[in-house]
Amino acid sequence: MLATNPHHNWLRLQDALHSDALRPRHETVVLVDGDRTLTQEDTSRLFLDRAGLPLAPIKEAFGHHGYSYPGFLFHASVYLQVPEPTFDLLCQEIAAAVSFYTGAAEFLRRAAQCADVYVVTAGVSPIWSHLLARNGLDSVRLVGGIFPGARYLIGREEKGLICQHMIEQGRRVVAFGDSDVDALMLQGAEKAVVVVNHRCNDDLLPHLRAHSGLSQISHYEHVHQGIPRIEFSSAHQILERGYACR
C-alpha cells in the first residue's frame, strides 16, 4: 500500500535510495525524466487510453491539489484500478510501441559508462523498465512508482528531494527534464538540460531563468532564445569535467 502522506513516502523512497540497487558509485549522477524527455510520447497517457481510463479526474485532482503529494496519490490510484496481469501486459505493449528520441538511448548508454544514470519517472514505471530492457540499457537504473505493490510515489517534490539526496551524498548532479514536475530536480542540479516539449516548456522555464548551468535539447522547430543548444548525441560531454566521458 502506498504511503498516505509525503513524509512517509519520502522515508520509503530514502530506504530505496540507500539500497545496493540504487546507491550511486560514481562522482557524477545523471537524473533523467522519462515521458517527453526521452520520448516524444507520454507513455502514461498511452496507458490510460489503452486501459479505457479517463484523464479528466486526474486533471481535476492536479488542478485542485497542484503538483503535490495528494495530487500524485490520486493520479496513481486511477492507474492502479487495472488488475495486475492486465497492468503488466499493457506496460509491455506500450514499451514495444514507443521509441526514444534520436540519440537518447545511445546517450544513456555512454553516460552510464562514467556516471550513475537514473530514469526518474512520475509515470507508470514498468513501462520504463520494459523500454530500457528492450534497448539493452540494463546499466541505467529506474526510480518510479505506479505499479501493483509499489511502496512509494515519485512527484515534483520527490524529484527535488532525490537531487538533494545525491548532492548530500557528495555527488555532482546533471538533470534532464521537460516540465514543471521536473523543476525542483533541475533547479538543484549543477547542470540542467531542458528538453523542448510540445508546450515549449512554458511551465518549466520560469523556474530556471537564474540557473547558470542551463542548456537545451530540441527536436522541434522551436528553440529557446538565449539558452545554449546541445544534442543527445553529444550530451555525454557535459557529464564530467574535462570531458572524461567518451
Side-chain angles (χ1 to χ4, degrees):
M1 181 179 293
L2 293 169
T4 57
N5 63 73
H7 174 69
H8 288 144
N9 185 67
W10 173 236
L11 291 178
R12 292 179 179 184
L13 179 50
Q14 273 186 306
D15 285 344
L17 293 173
H18 284 296
S19 69
D20 288 341
L22 293 180
R23 187 182 298 116
R25 297 171 177 83
H26 294 84
E27 175 192 359
T28 300
V29 165
V30 183
L31 304 177
V32 191
D33 172 51
D35 297 312
R36 301 199 188 279
T37 295
L38 291 170
T39 62
Q40 183 175 359
E41 298 87 356
D42 182 336
T43 63
S44 295
R45 183 76 60 88
L46 295 177
F47 186 102
L48 289 176
D49 292 343
R50 294 198 181 209
L53 295 171
L55 176 63
I58 294 174
K59 285 189 170 183
E60 291 173 8
F62 282 130
H64 178 70
H65 296 289
Y67 286 139
S68 65
Y69 190 74
F72 283 102
L73 187 60
F74 179 83
H75 174 238
S77 73
V78 173
Y79 293 90
L80 293 174
Q81 295 175 49
V82 178
E84 189 165 352
T86 304
F87 193 101
D88 190 59
L89 180 61
L90 288 175
C91 290
Q92 292 182 51
E93 290 177 353
I94 293 165
V98 171
S99 297
F100 284 115
Y101 275 127
T102 300
E106 183 59 24
F107 160 70
L108 294 174
R109 188 172 292 109
R110 296 180 74 172
Q113 295 175 7
C114 62
D116 291 288
V117 182
Y118 303 81
V119 171
V120 185
T121 178
V124 181
S125 63
I127 296 174
W128 286 94
S129 179
H130 291 304
L131 191 53
L132 291 170
R134 183 166 66 85
N135 285 272
L137 294 168
D138 298 335
S139 57
V140 176
R141 288 177 273 184
L142 177 64
V143 184
I146 310 189
F147 60 89
R151 298 192 68 251
Y152 58 80
L153 291 178
I154 301 296
R156 187 180 194 269
E157 185 74 18
E158 287 73 24
K159 289 193 176 195
L161 289 170
I162 291 169
C163 180
Q164 187 59 39
H165 170 83
M166 295 300 182
I167 293 170
E168 290 172 357
Q169 298 298 307
R171 268 55 184 191
R172 173 176 176 260
V173 177
V174 178
F176 293 68
D178 77 289
S179 76
D180 183 27
V181 178
D182 308 311
L184 298 177
M185 181 173 75
L186 269 64
Q187 281 179 342
E190 179 179 313
K191 293 186 181 294
V193 181
V194 173
V195 179
V196 177
N197 63 17
H198 62 304
R199 294 176 179 161
C200 301
N201 315 109
D202 287 344
D203 61 345
L204 173 61
L205 284 182
H207 301 288
L208 299 176
R209 290 299 185 188
H211 201 297
S212 61
L214 191 63
S215 56
Q216 66 177 313
I217 293 173
S218 181
H219 300 275
Y220 293 85
E221 291 184 4
H222 180 83
V223 177
H224 300 300
Q225 297 299 313
I227 301 176
R229 184 179 182 181
I230 63 174
E231 304 291 341
F232 270 124
S233 60
S234 60
H236 63 282
Q237 294 180 344
I238 70 172
L239 299 188
E240 292 213 7
R241 299 173 181 89
Y243 300 100
C245 206
R246 302 299 183 188

